[in-house]
């Protein structure tokens, strides 16, 4: 990996090795920009905060230890992008800006599309310190300050991170520390059982003692560890339900064990019945998080954060905001986003996420959550994120973690300037517009009107209209010859009732429900006339045809841009757009054919749909 590929393209190639503090890193970064007359003034109590002032030709940056680092990156970025510096004290919206890596000790990355793990190989820690420093630098430059290094699905061998591999974890933590980044570990709720105890019951004193001792050992090795991430009672992971306990019982037991060390428990709320009988139309998976956690609101300890995915399903291309995020009043909440493009093109198809996040924060007041997390999209590939343009999602995530109101246009514009500074204004705009529209294009050819889950099971790339239909995962569209979708209104599963007004009323009524969410909330006949005068089936056909055509247009734009990109990026981008086009074609033809066969309704424009 080389800085020249990402948004630090104009920075010094590498930093000196033995930098001890974030302020040292800040000074080292500034050294490469001698034209910037910036003096740093440390004011410890400011923490992450910073303030920039100018007097005459001199500039002063005042900040806490990490604040100086963030202010320095902001200053250099403003200089490179020729943007003004903000005035007044700058502070992050969220103190914990977390990145969750789903890396296994084997080196494999669950849902990873950027190569193997940057941290692990063959059951042990194995990394190139220079790459880790580079990663740390990238993350710090966009304000990410917490990194969970191992997969939430903690399989047996990963427990070693809390045992014999702890000294290695401590060494890795030391590499990140000068960049203001602290580590977390995912932990296995059943760890006491794996150590010979007969139970992992959170109310059992022996289990509590086990965790107290374990926490002491872990924090002894890594004193500034942020805490543990826990996936419990989710997709076959062990959890408190086995012992008839609640998730508050489970989370609080761990929280009390880590509290003496200032630790935090990040408890994931991804709990649903993954063994549902498809014949059962009463159980509705999106209702699960709210049903499980609302009754517990107010019963979690202070050092527990409930981490809830942005939508109620699972990182689909389009979902409404999770009602649990909107409704829980007395629990510390974190929203979990997914940068790795599991359902969103797998870093083959271009999918720039900032426009999607803006929509989420339209419905979710940023103040409802106290932290933010994202599943990482990084790996050992030369450009670290698989597709060079996927870096905009990592960079953009850092931007919104600092300030969730940052506009997508601003994020993408700055990223393009920093990453490809030599593009002329016309080509810069071509790239920016391509990225800005990429999510909408992907949505059209894969999941228009929120027609999600028509994806190849398990790998989650490519179309399979009934792939998830008769499975136990609670992911149904129930398409028949007349209609498609699940009725989640008050007359159906009642999911919509989990929303506070006015969203509840908006979604309840198909006439006010935004088109893009129609089939999430409503079961609709194919001949229903939508707000734009077209029938539902015609919209399905049209969006798939248009989505493909828009990929063709993106391809043309890319061919104009390609000669101007660095050779490695050019090669990656050009080879992937061919795959994206093939993918879009497949989606168009498979999904249109599926609905054409079912409904027998012709496309009004008589385009080619297979029989
Ligand atoms: C999805 C994903 C899994 C992952 C899970 C989670 O279901 O497919 O690979 O483990 O989310 O968020 O825990």
């Amino acid at each position: 990996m080389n800085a020249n590929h990402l948004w630090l393209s104009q920075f010094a190639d590498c930093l000196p090795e033995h930098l001890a503090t974030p302020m040292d890193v800040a000074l080292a970064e500034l050294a490469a920009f001698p034209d910037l007359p910036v003096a740093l003034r440390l004011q410890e109590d400011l923490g992450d905060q910073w303030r920039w002032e100018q007097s005459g030709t001199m500039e002063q940056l005042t900040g806490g230890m990490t604040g100086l680092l963030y202010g320095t990156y902001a200053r250099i970025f403003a200089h490179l992008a020729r943007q003004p510096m903000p005035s007044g004290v700058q502070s992050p919206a969220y103190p914990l800006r977390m990145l969750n890596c789903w890396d296994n000790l084997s080196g494999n990355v669950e849902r990873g599309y950027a190569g193997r793990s940057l941290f692990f190989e063959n059951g042990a820690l194995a990394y190139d310190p220079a790459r880790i420093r580079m990663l740390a630098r990238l993350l710090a430059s966009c304000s990410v300050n917490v990194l969970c290094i191992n997969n939430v699905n903690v399989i047996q061998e990963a427990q070693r991170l809390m045992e014999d591999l702890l000294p290695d974890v401590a060494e890795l933590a030391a590499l990140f520390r000068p960049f203001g980044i602290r580590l977390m570990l995912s932990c296995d709720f059943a760890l006491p059982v794996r150590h010979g105890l007969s139970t992992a019951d959170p109310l059992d004193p022996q289990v509590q003692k086990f965790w107290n001792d374990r926490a002491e050992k872990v924090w002894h090795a890594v004193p500034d560890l942020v805490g543990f991430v826990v996936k419990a009672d989710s997709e076959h992971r062990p959890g408190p339900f086995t012992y008839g306990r609640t998730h508050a019982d489970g989370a609080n037991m761990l929280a009390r064990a880590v509290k003496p060390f200032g630790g935090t428990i990040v408890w994931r709320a991804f709990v649903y019945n993954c063994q549902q009988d498809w014949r059962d139309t009463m159980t509705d998976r999106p209702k699960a998080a709210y049903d499980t956690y609302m009754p517990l609101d107010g019963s979690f300890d202070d050092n527990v954060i409930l981490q809830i995915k942005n939508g109620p399903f699972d990182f689909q291309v389009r979902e409404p905001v999770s009602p649990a995020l909107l409704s829980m009043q007395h629990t510390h909440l974190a929203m979990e986003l997914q940068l790795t493009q599991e359902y969103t093109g797998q870093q083959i198809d271009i999918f720039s996420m900032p426009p999607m996040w803006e929509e989420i924060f339209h419905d979710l007041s940023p103040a409802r959550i106290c932290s933010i997390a994202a599943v990482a999209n990084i790996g050992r590939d030369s450009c670290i994120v698989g597709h060079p343009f996927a870096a905009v999602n990592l960079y953009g995530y850092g931007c919104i973690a600092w300030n969730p109101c940052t506009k997508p246009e601003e994020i993408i514009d700055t990223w393009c300037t920093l990453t490809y500074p030599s593009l002329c204004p016309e080509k810069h705009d071509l790239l920016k517009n391509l990225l800005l529209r990429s999510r909408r294009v992907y949505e059209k050819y894969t999941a228009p009107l929120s027609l999600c889950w028509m994806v190849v099971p398990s790998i989650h790339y490519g179309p399979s209209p009934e792939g998830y239909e008769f499975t136990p995962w609670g992911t149904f569209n129930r398409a028949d010859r007349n209609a498609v979708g699940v009725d989640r209104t008050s007359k159906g599963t009642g999911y919509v009732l989990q929303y506070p007004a006015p969203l509840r009323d908006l979604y309840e009524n198909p006439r006010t429900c935004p088109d893009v969410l129609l089939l999430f909330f409503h079961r609709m006949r194919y001949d229903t006339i939508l707000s734009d005068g077209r029938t539902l089936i015609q919209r399905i056909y049209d969006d798939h045809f248009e989505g493909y055509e828009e990929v063709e247009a993106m391809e043309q734009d890319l061919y104009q841009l390609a000669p101007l990109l660095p050779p490695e990026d050019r090669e990656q981008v050009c080879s992937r757009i061919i795959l994206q086009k093939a993918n879009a074609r497949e989606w168009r033809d498979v999904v249109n054919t599926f609905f054409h066969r079912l409904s027998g309704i012709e496309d009004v424009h008589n385009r080619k749909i297979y029989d």
Side-chain angles (χ1 to χ4, degrees):
M1 179 179 38
N2 176 330
N4 293 331
H5 293 274
L6 296 165
W7 63 89
L8 301 183
S9 66
Q10 295 164 86
F11 281 61
D13 243 7
C14 57
L15 292 173
E17 266 185 34
H18 299 293
L19 300 169
T21 68
M23 189 168 169
D24 293 344
V25 176
L27 288 167
E29 294 289 23
L30 280 169
F33 296 90
D35 294 352
L36 288 180
V38 186
L40 301 185
R41 193 165 72 88
L42 178 65
Q43 192 185 318
E44 290 275 6
D45 62 317
L46 283 180
D48 282 354
Q49 299 181 330
W50 56 271
R51 188 177 63 244
W52 177 84
E53 286 146 322
Q54 186 166 33
S55 81
T57 52
M58 287 310 290
E59 299 179 17
Q60 180 166 284
L61 195 60
T62 309
M65 193 43 111
T66 42
L68 287 178
L69 184 60
Y70 302 136
T72 295
Y73 283 117
R75 180 66 194 99
I76 300 173
F77 288 169
H79 164 70
L80 295 174
R82 284 181 287 286
Q83 289 162 354
M85 281 296 277
S87 59
V89 176
Q90 306 299 307
S91 23
Y94 307 117
L96 300 181
R97 301 174 294 277
M98 305 182 273
L99 199 63
N100 290 185
C101 298
W102 284 358
D103 294 26
N104 295 320
L105 248 66
S106 62
N108 173 52
V109 180
E110 177 153 339
R111 310 300 179 190
Y113 313 105
R116 295 179 68 73
S117 170
L118 282 160
F119 315 121
F120 309 121
E121 196 59 72
N122 284 326
L125 279 94
Y127 52 81
D128 170 358
R131 282 183 151 219
I132 296 296
R133 271 194 296 274
M134 186 62 226
L135 172 66
R137 191 181 179 196
L138 282 165
L139 298 183
S141 77
C142 65
S143 95
V144 170
N145 66 350
V146 181
L147 188 70
C148 181
I149 54 173
N150 66 312
N151 190 359
V152 285
N153 291 311
V154 187
I155 45 170
Q156 196 123 358
E157 59 164 15
Q159 67 184 334
R160 294 182 49 216
L161 291 172
M162 293 200 187
E163 298 164 1
D164 59 315
L165 295 180
L166 252 181
D168 300 336
V169 174
E171 269 181 36
L172 183 63
L175 284 178
F176 281 105
R177 200 166 287 127
F179 295 85
I181 296 168
R182 295 157 67 201
L183 299 190
M184 292 194 88
L185 291 173
S186 292
C187 86
D188 177 4
F189 194 79
L191 194 62
V193 177
R194 313 217 192 282
H195 277 265
L197 264 62
S198 58
T199 177
D201 180 353
L203 300 194
D204 184 301
Q206 270 185 303
V207 171
Q208 293 166 358
K209 180 170 182 325
F210 172 90
W211 281 111
N212 295 345
D213 295 348
R214 179 62 45 194
E216 198 174 332
K217 287 194 184 97
V218 171
W219 265 268
H220 180 74
V222 190
D224 62 352
L225 192 83
V226 176
F228 298 151
V229 178
V230 191
K231 172 173 177 175
D233 291 313
S234 166
E235 301 185 328
H236 310 293
R237 304 311 307 149
F241 287 165
T242 312
Y243 310 98
R245 309 300 183 193
T246 69
H247 275 215
D249 294 331
N252 293 345
M253 178 273 294
L254 289 172
R256 286 164 201 170
V258 304
K259 192 168 176 101
F261 314 101
T264 298
I265 296 300
V266 171
W267 190 269
R268 295 179 80 235
F270 188 49
V271 173
Y272 66 97
N273 178 3
C274 65
Q275 289 174 298
Q276 185 181 335
D277 186 335
W278 58 268
R279 299 165 192 83
D280 164 11
T281 53
M282 299 311 289
T283 307
D284 188 18
R285 171 167 162 182
K287 290 170 80 175
Y290 182 100
D291 284 350
T292 308
Y293 294 101
M294 262 314 265
L296 301 177
D297 194 17
S299 47
F300 289 98
D301 281 9
D302 244 21
N303 58 332
V304 174
I305 296 176
L306 192 64
Q307 184 166 301
I308 305 174
K309 293 191 182 190
N310 63 276
F313 257 134
D314 184 12
F315 302 134
Q316 297 302 290
V317 177
R318 172 82 60 172
E319 293 187 45
V321 172
S322 169
L325 281 170
L326 295 172
S327 306
M328 295 183 73
Q329 303 287 341
H330 309 288
T331 305
H332 297 308
L333 304 177
M335 175 166 65
E336 181 179 309
L337 303 169
Q338 193 186 42
L339 309 184
T340 194
Q341 294 174 231
E342 176 177 359
Y343 294 96
T344 51
Q346 307 207 345
Q347 277 125 277
I348 297 169
D349 299 27
I350 302 170
F351 189 110
S352 159
M353 298 179 180
M356 178 163 93
W357 301 330
E358 184 187 41
E359 289 160 10
I360 295 171
F361 280 116
H362 180 265
D363 290 338
L364 175 77
S365 153
R368 290 239 75 244
I369 54 177
C370 75
S371 313
I372 190 158
V375 183
N377 57 355
I378 55 176
R380 230 179 259 187
D381 268 8
S382 60
C383 86
I384 203 187
V385 281
H387 191 306
F389 296 171
V392 76
N393 295 329
L394 185 57
Y395 167 81
Y397 167 65
C399 296
I400 62 146
W402 183 276
N403 175 8
C405 301
T406 321
K407 292 273 159 227
E409 294 78 9
E410 186 187 327
I411 295 173
I412 293 175
D413 188 58
T414 307
W415 179 84
C416 293
T417 307
L418 297 175
T419 308
Y420 301 118
S422 58
L423 292 181
C424 67
E426 186 209 334
K427 293 294 185 296
H428 171 97
D429 287 350
L430 196 70
L431 176 58
K432 177 177 152 188
N433 292 331
L434 184 150
L435 292 172
L436 270 170
R437 66 186 197 270
S438 59
R439 182 280 185 117
R440 184 71 192 112
V441 172
Y442 185 86
E443 177 177 31
K444 280 188 175 178
Y445 64 79
T446 61
L449 307 158
S450 57
L451 199 50
C452 293
W453 295 112
M454 292 203 160
V455 66
V456 176
S458 152
I459 61 165
H460 300 166
Y461 189 80
S464 178
E466 296 206 307
Y468 268 117
E469 203 53 37
F470 302 100
T471 68
W473 299 98
T475 45
F476 315 113
N477 287 302
R478 303 193 191 277
D480 67 18
R481 62 194 172 162
N482 298 314
V484 59
V486 172
D487 180 359
R488 298 197 160 94
T489 68
S490 58
K491 295 183 205 67
T493 71
Y495 165 77
V496 78
L497 298 172
Q498 295 184 342
Y499 284 91
L503 278 182
R504 186 201 305 140
D505 307 323
L506 185 88
Y507 294 146
E508 166 84 3
N509 182 344
R511 270 182 293 280
T512 54
C513 182
D515 279 3
V516 284
L517 284 170
L518 261 183
L519 294 175
F520 189 96
F521 285 99
H522 299 277
R523 178 165 182 80
M524 304 196 85
R525 287 184 56 90
Y526 299 124
D527 53 8
T528 309
I529 309 284
L530 304 189
S531 57
D532 64 5
R534 289 181 279 175
T535 60
L536 180 83
I537 190 84
Q538 192 58 42
R539 268 297 292 279
I540 294 176
Y541 293 153
D542 286 353
D543 275 14
H544 281 94
F545 281 117
E546 282 168 27
Y548 177 75
E549 283 160 18
E550 288 169 25
V551 174
E552 285 187 317
M554 280 166 68
E555 185 187 29
Q556 291 314 311
D557 289 356
L558 278 181
Y559 289 152
Q560 285 192 51
L561 278 165
L564 309 169
L565 302 181
E568 305 84 349
D569 288 15
R570 184 186 314 149
E571 199 185 297
Q572 299 280 358
V573 165
C574 291
S575 61
R576 281 163 207 240
I577 189 69
I578 293 169
L579 300 175
Q580 175 168 4
K581 202 166 77 165
N583 188 35
R585 176 171 177 267
E586 204 60 10
W587 272 97
R588 178 197 69 188
D589 290 343
V590 170
V591 177
N592 281 348
T593 301
F594 173 76
F595 282 109
H596 182 233
R597 283 181 186 166
L598 268 185
S599 68
I601 301 174
E602 297 303 328
D603 167 36
V604 294
H605 303 299
N606 260 321
R607 286 162 294 192
K608 175 82 187 157
I609 298 183
Y610 296 82
D611 290 319

